Amino acid sequence: MVVTDTLILPDTDAGVARASELLRAGHLVALPTETVYGLAGDARNDRAVAAIYEAKGRPSFNPLIVHLPTVQAAHHYVVWNDMAEALANAFWPGPLTMVLPLKEGHGLSPLVTAGLDTVAIRLPAHTLARKLLTVSECPLAAPSANPSGKISPTTAEHVMAGLDGRIAAVLDGGACPVGVESTIIGVYDNVPRLLRPGGLSVEDAERILNQPLREAGKGITAPGQLTSHYAPGARVRLNATSREDGEMLLGFGPMECDLNLSETGDVIEAATNLFPALHTLDALAPQGIAVAPIPYHGLGLAINDRLSRAAAPRD
Ligand code: TXA
Ligand code: MG
Protein backbone atom coordinates (compact mmCIF):
# COMPACT_ATOMS: atom_id res chain seq x y z
CA MET A 1 0.00 0.00 0.00
CA VAL A 2 1.38 3.39 -1.04
CA VAL A 3 0.70 5.85 1.73
CA THR A 4 -0.05 9.35 0.43
CA ASP A 5 -1.25 12.61 1.86
CA THR A 6 -4.98 12.59 1.27
CA LEU A 7 -6.12 15.87 -0.34
CA ILE A 8 -9.38 17.46 0.78
CA LEU A 9 -10.86 18.99 -2.38
CA PRO A 10 -13.51 21.73 -2.23
CA ASP A 11 -16.94 21.78 -3.89
CA THR A 12 -15.76 23.96 -6.80
CA ASP A 13 -15.04 23.44 -10.51
CA ALA A 14 -11.33 23.30 -9.66
CA GLY A 15 -11.99 20.65 -7.00
CA VAL A 16 -13.97 18.54 -9.48
CA ALA A 17 -11.27 19.00 -12.17
CA ARG A 18 -8.53 17.80 -9.79
CA ALA A 19 -10.61 14.83 -8.64
CA SER A 20 -11.26 13.95 -12.28
CA GLU A 21 -7.53 14.03 -13.17
CA LEU A 22 -6.75 11.77 -10.22
CA LEU A 23 -9.44 9.26 -11.23
CA ARG A 24 -8.31 9.23 -14.86
CA ALA A 25 -4.77 8.50 -13.66
CA GLY A 26 -6.05 5.45 -11.75
CA HIS A 27 -6.09 6.96 -8.24
CA LEU A 28 -8.89 6.71 -5.68
CA VAL A 29 -11.13 9.63 -4.73
CA ALA A 30 -13.90 9.61 -2.12
CA LEU A 31 -16.97 11.48 -3.32
CA PRO A 32 -20.28 12.50 -1.79
CA THR A 33 -23.49 10.90 -3.00
CA GLU A 34 -27.00 11.50 -1.65
CA THR A 35 -26.75 8.22 0.34
CA VAL A 36 -23.22 7.96 1.80
CA TYR A 37 -19.69 8.88 0.64
CA GLY A 38 -18.31 6.45 -1.95
CA LEU A 39 -14.69 5.44 -2.52
CA ALA A 40 -14.40 5.82 -6.28
CA GLY A 41 -12.00 4.40 -8.85
CA ASP A 42 -12.21 3.92 -12.64
CA ALA A 43 -14.30 0.74 -13.03
CA ARG A 44 -12.42 -0.18 -16.25
CA ASN A 45 -9.00 -0.08 -14.58
CA ASP A 46 -7.96 -3.32 -12.83
CA ARG A 47 -5.33 -1.58 -10.71
CA ALA A 48 -7.72 1.13 -9.54
CA VAL A 49 -10.38 -1.45 -8.62
CA ALA A 50 -7.83 -3.65 -6.82
CA ALA A 51 -6.73 -0.55 -4.88
CA ILE A 52 -10.34 0.01 -3.69
CA TYR A 53 -10.44 -3.48 -2.13
CA GLU A 54 -7.02 -2.90 -0.58
CA ALA A 55 -7.77 0.56 0.86
CA LYS A 56 -10.99 -0.71 2.49
CA GLY A 57 -9.62 -4.10 3.55
CA ARG A 58 -12.67 -5.49 1.72
CA PRO A 59 -13.02 -9.18 0.83
CA SER A 60 -12.57 -9.50 -2.94
CA PHE A 61 -15.62 -11.78 -3.29
CA ASN A 62 -17.82 -8.78 -2.47
CA PRO A 63 -18.60 -6.97 -5.77
CA LEU A 64 -18.86 -3.20 -6.25
CA ILE A 65 -21.54 -0.82 -7.54
CA VAL A 66 -20.73 1.01 -10.79
CA HIS A 67 -21.90 4.64 -10.79
CA LEU A 68 -22.93 6.17 -14.12
CA PRO A 69 -24.08 9.62 -15.30
CA THR A 70 -26.94 8.61 -17.62
CA VAL A 71 -29.25 5.75 -18.61
CA GLN A 72 -27.54 5.72 -22.05
CA ALA A 73 -24.27 4.93 -20.26
CA ALA A 74 -26.04 2.08 -18.46
CA HIS A 75 -27.13 0.55 -21.79
CA HIS A 76 -23.44 0.20 -22.65
CA TYR A 77 -22.78 -2.16 -19.71
CA VAL A 78 -25.98 -4.14 -19.03
CA VAL A 79 -28.78 -6.00 -20.80
CA TRP A 80 -31.82 -3.81 -20.19
CA ASN A 81 -35.44 -4.92 -19.60
CA ASP A 82 -38.91 -3.47 -18.88
CA MET A 83 -38.61 -3.65 -15.09
CA ALA A 84 -35.32 -1.76 -15.24
CA GLU A 85 -36.92 0.83 -17.53
CA ALA A 86 -39.84 1.38 -15.11
CA LEU A 87 -37.58 1.65 -12.05
CA ALA A 88 -35.08 3.93 -13.83
CA ASN A 89 -37.87 6.26 -15.03
CA ALA A 90 -39.30 6.52 -11.53
CA PHE A 91 -36.20 6.64 -9.32
CA TRP A 92 -33.03 7.59 -11.24
CA PRO A 93 -31.04 9.57 -10.46
CA GLY A 94 -31.49 8.52 -6.83
CA PRO A 95 -30.85 5.97 -4.06
CA LEU A 96 -31.63 2.87 -6.15
CA THR A 97 -29.08 0.31 -7.38
CA MET A 98 -30.15 -2.28 -9.94
CA VAL A 99 -28.40 -5.60 -10.55
CA LEU A 100 -28.64 -6.58 -14.23
CA PRO A 101 -26.91 -9.04 -16.60
CA LEU A 102 -23.56 -7.83 -17.93
CA LYS A 103 -23.48 -7.04 -21.64
CA GLU A 104 -20.85 -8.59 -23.86
CA GLY A 105 -17.91 -6.26 -24.52
CA HIS A 106 -18.75 -4.20 -21.42
CA GLY A 107 -15.11 -3.30 -20.74
CA LEU A 108 -15.43 -3.24 -16.94
CA SER A 109 -12.69 -4.77 -14.82
CA PRO A 110 -13.67 -8.33 -13.84
CA LEU A 111 -12.70 -7.37 -10.27
CA VAL A 112 -15.75 -5.06 -10.12
CA THR A 113 -18.20 -7.94 -10.37
CA ALA A 114 -16.06 -10.46 -8.45
CA GLY A 115 -16.57 -12.87 -11.33
CA LEU A 116 -20.41 -12.73 -11.42
CA ASP A 117 -22.25 -12.39 -14.75
CA THR A 118 -24.36 -9.54 -13.33
CA VAL A 119 -23.34 -6.04 -12.30
CA ALA A 120 -24.80 -3.50 -9.86
CA ILE A 121 -25.33 -0.04 -11.37
CA ARG A 122 -26.66 3.24 -10.07
CA LEU A 123 -27.16 6.88 -11.16
CA PRO A 124 -26.51 9.01 -8.09
CA ALA A 125 -28.53 12.22 -7.64
CA HIS A 126 -25.90 14.26 -5.77
CA THR A 127 -24.78 17.27 -7.86
CA LEU A 128 -21.07 16.80 -7.12
CA ALA A 129 -21.14 13.09 -7.92
CA ARG A 130 -22.93 13.82 -11.19
CA LYS A 131 -20.40 16.56 -12.09
CA LEU A 132 -17.49 14.23 -11.42
CA LEU A 133 -19.05 11.42 -13.49
CA THR A 134 -19.60 13.82 -16.39
CA VAL A 135 -16.22 15.57 -16.26
CA SER A 136 -14.12 12.42 -15.73
CA GLU A 137 -16.06 10.34 -18.29
CA CYS A 138 -15.22 7.32 -16.09
CA PRO A 139 -17.72 4.71 -14.93
CA LEU A 140 -16.93 4.82 -11.20
CA ALA A 141 -16.79 1.72 -9.05
CA ALA A 142 -17.58 2.97 -5.54
CA PRO A 143 -18.31 1.11 -2.33
CA SER A 144 -18.99 3.14 0.80
CA ALA A 145 -15.81 5.04 1.77
CA ASN A 146 -15.13 3.33 5.10
CA PRO A 147 -12.84 0.52 6.22
CA SER A 148 -14.71 -2.75 5.60
CA GLY A 149 -17.10 -3.64 8.43
CA LYS A 150 -17.08 -0.19 10.05
CA ILE A 151 -19.72 2.54 10.23
CA SER A 152 -20.50 4.10 6.81
CA PRO A 153 -19.37 7.73 6.21
CA THR A 154 -21.83 10.57 5.65
CA THR A 155 -19.30 13.45 5.89
CA ALA A 156 -15.78 14.08 4.53
CA GLU A 157 -14.57 14.03 8.16
CA HIS A 158 -15.90 10.47 8.58
CA VAL A 159 -14.02 9.48 5.39
CA MET A 160 -10.77 11.03 6.65
CA ALA A 161 -11.14 9.35 10.04
CA GLY A 162 -11.20 5.94 8.34
CA LEU A 163 -9.08 6.31 5.19
CA ASP A 164 -6.65 9.26 5.62
CA GLY A 165 -3.32 8.33 4.01
CA ARG A 166 -4.84 5.38 2.11
CA ILE A 167 -6.54 7.29 -0.75
CA ALA A 168 -5.56 10.21 -3.01
CA ALA A 169 -8.37 12.63 -2.15
CA VAL A 170 -11.81 13.29 -0.80
CA LEU A 171 -14.19 15.70 -2.52
CA ASP A 172 -15.97 17.51 0.31
CA GLY A 173 -19.68 18.01 -0.39
CA GLY A 174 -20.85 18.33 3.21
CA ALA A 175 -23.31 15.91 4.82
CA CYS A 176 -25.17 13.29 2.74
CA PRO A 177 -28.93 14.01 2.75
CA VAL A 178 -30.37 10.44 2.66
CA GLY A 179 -27.84 8.91 5.05
CA VAL A 180 -28.24 5.17 4.34
CA GLU A 181 -26.95 3.27 1.30
CA SER A 182 -29.04 2.70 -1.82
CA THR A 183 -31.73 0.04 -2.04
CA ILE A 184 -30.43 -2.82 -4.22
CA ILE A 185 -32.97 -4.57 -6.45
CA GLY A 186 -32.07 -7.55 -8.65
CA VAL A 187 -33.96 -7.30 -11.95
CA TYR A 188 -32.25 -10.06 -13.92
CA ASP A 189 -34.69 -12.92 -14.54
CA ASN A 190 -38.18 -11.45 -14.71
CA VAL A 191 -38.48 -11.44 -10.94
CA PRO A 192 -37.65 -8.32 -8.91
CA ARG A 193 -35.69 -9.21 -5.78
CA LEU A 194 -34.78 -7.06 -2.81
CA LEU A 195 -31.04 -7.65 -2.30
CA ARG A 196 -30.55 -4.85 0.28
CA PRO A 197 -33.05 -2.44 1.85
CA GLY A 198 -31.87 1.17 1.61
CA GLY A 199 -32.68 4.78 0.82
CA LEU A 200 -35.57 4.02 -1.56
CA SER A 201 -38.50 2.48 0.32
CA VAL A 202 -39.70 -0.99 -0.70
CA GLU A 203 -43.26 0.37 -0.77
CA ASP A 204 -42.32 2.94 -3.45
CA ALA A 205 -40.50 0.36 -5.59
CA GLU A 206 -43.42 -2.12 -5.38
CA ARG A 207 -45.91 0.57 -6.37
CA ILE A 208 -44.00 1.25 -9.60
CA LEU A 209 -43.45 -2.45 -10.40
CA ASN A 210 -47.04 -3.38 -9.55
CA GLN A 211 -45.81 -6.47 -7.75
CA PRO A 212 -44.11 -7.40 -4.49
CA LEU A 213 -40.32 -7.59 -4.29
CA ARG A 214 -39.23 -11.19 -3.59
CA GLU A 215 -36.77 -12.21 -0.96
CA ALA A 216 -33.25 -12.54 -2.32
CA GLY A 217 -33.31 -16.32 -1.85
CA LYS A 218 -30.47 -18.65 -0.99
CA GLY A 219 -27.16 -17.97 -2.73
CA ILE A 220 -28.39 -14.93 -4.66
CA THR A 221 -28.35 -12.34 -1.93
CA ALA A 222 -25.96 -9.38 -2.27
CA PRO A 223 -22.67 -11.04 -1.29
CA GLY A 224 -21.79 -7.97 0.78
CA GLN A 225 -24.57 -8.61 3.26
CA LEU A 226 -22.18 -10.03 5.82
CA THR A 227 -23.70 -10.44 9.23
CA SER A 228 -21.40 -8.18 11.27
CA HIS A 229 -21.08 -4.77 9.59
CA TYR A 230 -21.53 -1.06 10.33
CA ALA A 231 -19.95 -1.86 13.70
CA PRO A 232 -18.96 0.83 16.19
CA GLY A 233 -16.36 0.00 18.85
CA ALA A 234 -19.01 -0.39 21.53
CA ARG A 235 -21.42 -3.31 21.87
CA VAL A 236 -24.84 -2.46 20.40
CA ARG A 237 -28.13 -3.57 22.05
CA LEU A 238 -31.41 -3.22 20.13
CA ASN A 239 -35.05 -2.55 21.07
CA ALA A 240 -33.97 -0.91 24.31
CA THR A 241 -36.25 1.38 26.30
CA SER A 242 -33.73 2.28 29.01
CA ARG A 243 -29.98 2.20 29.72
CA GLU A 244 -28.10 -0.63 31.37
CA ASP A 245 -24.70 -0.16 33.10
CA GLY A 246 -22.39 2.24 31.23
CA GLU A 247 -24.61 2.42 28.14
CA MET A 248 -25.66 5.47 26.17
CA LEU A 249 -29.18 5.46 24.76
CA LEU A 250 -29.94 6.30 21.13
CA GLY A 251 -33.60 7.25 21.00
CA PHE A 252 -36.43 7.43 18.47
CA GLY A 253 -39.59 9.46 19.03
CA PRO A 254 -40.33 11.50 22.15
CA MET A 255 -38.28 9.96 24.98
CA GLU A 256 -35.44 10.68 27.42
CA CYS A 257 -32.12 9.61 25.81
CA ASP A 258 -28.52 10.71 25.05
CA LEU A 259 -29.09 11.30 21.34
CA ASN A 260 -32.32 11.08 19.34
CA LEU A 261 -32.58 9.83 15.73
CA SER A 262 -35.87 11.70 15.32
CA GLU A 263 -37.82 13.30 18.16
CA THR A 264 -40.95 13.35 16.01
CA GLY A 265 -40.58 9.67 15.08
CA ASP A 266 -39.88 10.34 11.38
CA VAL A 267 -38.02 7.40 9.74
CA ILE A 268 -36.63 9.58 6.91
CA GLU A 269 -35.05 11.96 9.43
CA ALA A 270 -33.82 8.97 11.44
CA ALA A 271 -32.10 7.48 8.37
CA THR A 272 -30.24 10.76 7.77
CA ASN A 273 -29.10 10.83 11.39
CA LEU A 274 -28.27 7.12 11.83
CA PHE A 275 -24.58 6.90 10.83
CA PRO A 276 -23.63 10.36 12.24
CA ALA A 277 -25.21 9.31 15.55
CA LEU A 278 -23.26 6.03 15.60
CA HIS A 279 -20.02 7.91 14.78
CA THR A 280 -20.74 10.42 17.59
CA LEU A 281 -21.58 7.79 20.20
CA ASP A 282 -18.62 5.66 19.11
CA ALA A 283 -16.26 8.63 19.72
CA LEU A 284 -17.66 8.98 23.24
CA ALA A 285 -16.69 5.32 23.76
CA PRO A 286 -19.47 4.22 26.10
CA GLN A 287 -19.48 0.61 27.33
CA GLY A 288 -22.44 -0.02 25.12
CA ILE A 289 -24.93 1.66 22.81
CA ALA A 290 -28.60 0.89 23.51
CA VAL A 291 -30.97 1.69 20.63
CA ALA A 292 -34.71 2.31 20.90
CA PRO A 293 -37.11 0.27 18.72
CA ILE A 294 -37.50 1.62 15.16
CA PRO A 295 -40.65 0.84 13.14
CA TYR A 296 -40.27 -1.27 9.99
CA HIS A 297 -42.15 0.92 7.52
CA GLY A 298 -40.49 3.06 4.80
CA LEU A 299 -36.77 3.66 5.47
CA GLY A 300 -37.25 1.95 8.86
CA LEU A 301 -36.49 -1.34 7.05
CA ALA A 302 -33.01 -0.08 6.03
CA ILE A 303 -32.38 1.38 9.50
CA ASN A 304 -33.27 -1.92 11.20
CA ASP A 305 -31.08 -3.81 8.70
CA ARG A 306 -28.03 -1.63 9.49
CA LEU A 307 -28.67 -1.75 13.24
CA SER A 308 -29.04 -5.53 13.34
CA ARG A 309 -25.65 -5.87 11.61
CA ALA A 310 -24.08 -3.31 13.96
CA ALA A 311 -25.37 -5.44 16.84
CA ALA A 312 -24.36 -8.82 15.39
CA PRO A 313 -21.64 -10.91 17.06
CA ARG A 314 -18.20 -10.04 15.63
CA ASP A 315 -15.41 -12.39 14.62
O1 TXA B 1 -25.58 4.02 -1.61
C1 TXA B 1 -24.78 3.17 -2.00
O2 TXA B 1 -25.14 2.14 -2.60
C2 TXA B 1 -23.29 3.44 -1.73
C3 TXA B 1 -22.90 4.70 -2.51
C4 TXA B 1 -21.43 5.00 -2.44
O3 TXA B 1 -23.33 4.58 -3.84
N1 TXA B 1 -22.48 2.33 -2.12
C5 TXA B 1 -22.48 1.15 -1.43
O4 TXA B 1 -21.59 0.21 -1.89
O5 TXA B 1 -23.19 0.95 -0.47
P1 TXA B 1 -21.13 -1.08 -1.06
O6 TXA B 1 -19.99 -1.65 -1.81
O7 TXA B 1 -20.90 -0.72 0.34
O8 TXA B 1 -22.32 -2.07 -1.23
C6 TXA B 1 -22.53 -2.70 -2.47
C7 TXA B 1 -23.43 -3.89 -2.31
C8 TXA B 1 -22.72 -5.05 -1.65
O9 TXA B 1 -23.59 -5.62 -0.67
C9 TXA B 1 -22.52 -6.03 -2.81
O10 TXA B 1 -22.47 -7.35 -2.40
C10 TXA B 1 -23.73 -5.73 -3.68
O11 TXA B 1 -23.84 -4.34 -3.62
N2 TXA B 1 -23.52 -6.11 -5.08
C11 TXA B 1 -22.67 -5.58 -5.96
N3 TXA B 1 -22.72 -6.22 -7.14
C12 TXA B 1 -23.64 -7.19 -7.01
C13 TXA B 1 -24.16 -8.21 -7.88
N4 TXA B 1 -23.72 -8.35 -9.13
N5 TXA B 1 -25.11 -9.03 -7.39
C14 TXA B 1 -25.57 -8.88 -6.12
N6 TXA B 1 -25.11 -7.95 -5.26
C15 TXA B 1 -24.16 -7.12 -5.69
MG1 MG C 1 -20.62 -0.46 2.63
Side-chain angles (χ1 to χ4, degrees):
M1 160 101 30
V2 184
V3 178
T4 53
D5 284 330
T6 299
L7 299 170
I8 301 178
L9 300 173
D11 177 359
T12 59
D13 287 348
V16 171
R18 185 81 183 100
S20 169
E21 279 166 25
L22 287 166
L23 287 166
R24 294 194 63 85
H27 298 292
L28 304 186
V29 176
L31 84 173
T33 81
E34 69 278 23
T35 58
V36 301
Y37 274 71
L39 176 56
D42 183 341
R44 301 161 301 188
N45 180 331
D46 289 331
R47 282 184 43 216
V49 178
I52 294 175
Y53 286 99
E54 192 183 359
K56 279 183 63 86
R58 177 180 176 114
S60 57
F61 57 80
N62 186 2
L64 306 174
I65 296 172
V66 177
H67 298 66
L68 300 167
T70 60
V71 175
Q72 286 92 297
H75 288 307
H76 187 79
Y77 300 106
V78 294
V79 182
W80 204 240
N81 61 47
D82 290 347
M83 280 190 298
E85 179 73 13
L87 289 171
N89 280 335
F91 305 117
W92 272 358
L96 165 69
T97 293
M98 289 198 269
V99 174
L100 285 151
L102 267 170
K103 201 167 186 170
E104 212 170 311
H106 54 78
L108 298 172
S109 165
L111 295 171
V112 167
T113 59
L116 299 173
D117 52 12
T118 55
V119 64
I121 55 172
R122 147 165 142 81
L123 267 65
H126 197 289
T127 319
L128 260 186
R130 296 181 61 73
K131 273 189 194 160
L132 190 53
L133 283 163
T134 308
V135 172
S136 70
E137 298 180 320
C138 291
L140 294 178
S144 50
N146 53 302
S148 190
K150 302 294 186 201
I151 307 166
S152 300
T154 58
T155 64
E157 290 75 27
H158 293 160
V159 175
M160 288 301 276
L163 297 175
D164 189 8
R166 302 171 75 88
I167 62 176
V170 52
L171 192 54
D172 188 351
C176 301
V178 175
V180 289
E181 292 85 348
S182 60
T183 298
I184 306 181
I185 302 180
V187 283
Y188 38 81
D189 44 37
N190 286 318
V191 183
R193 293 191 178 86
L194 179 65
L195 302 181
R196 177 179 73 182
L200 170 70
S201 79
V202 167
E203 294 91 325
D204 284 349
E206 291 181 337
R207 188 169 40 75
I208 291 298
L209 290 169
N210 262 318
Q211 59 175 313
L213 293 179
R214 315 295 164 81
E215 302 252 328
K218 250 205 168 122
I220 46 174
T221 179
Q225 294 294 73
L226 307 172
T227 313
S228 172
H229 213 90
Y230 312 102
R235 180 174 53 81
V236 177
R237 186 169 65 86
L238 304 182
N239 298 316
T241 46
S242 62
R243 299 173 188 81
E244 289 176 2
D245 286 348
E247 281 182 343
M248 297 188 95
L249 181 58
L250 181 57
F252 179 85
M255 62 188 283
E256 195 282 311
C257 56
D258 295 291
L259 207 58
N260 202 318
L261 289 173
S262 169
E263 281 173 17
T264 58
D266 173 357
V267 284
I268 295 177
E269 183 185 19
T272 306
N273 290 333
L274 177 68
F275 290 133
L278 290 175
H279 280 283
T280 300
L281 292 179
D282 199 28
L284 296 171
Q287 280 174 20
I289 300 172
V291 189
I294 314 286
Y296 278 82
H297 63 78
L299 298 203
L301 194 63
I303 299 172
N304 278 298
D305 171 77
R306 306 305 186 267
L307 284 171
S308 65
R309 292 174 208 287
R314 305 168 193 172
D315 312 321

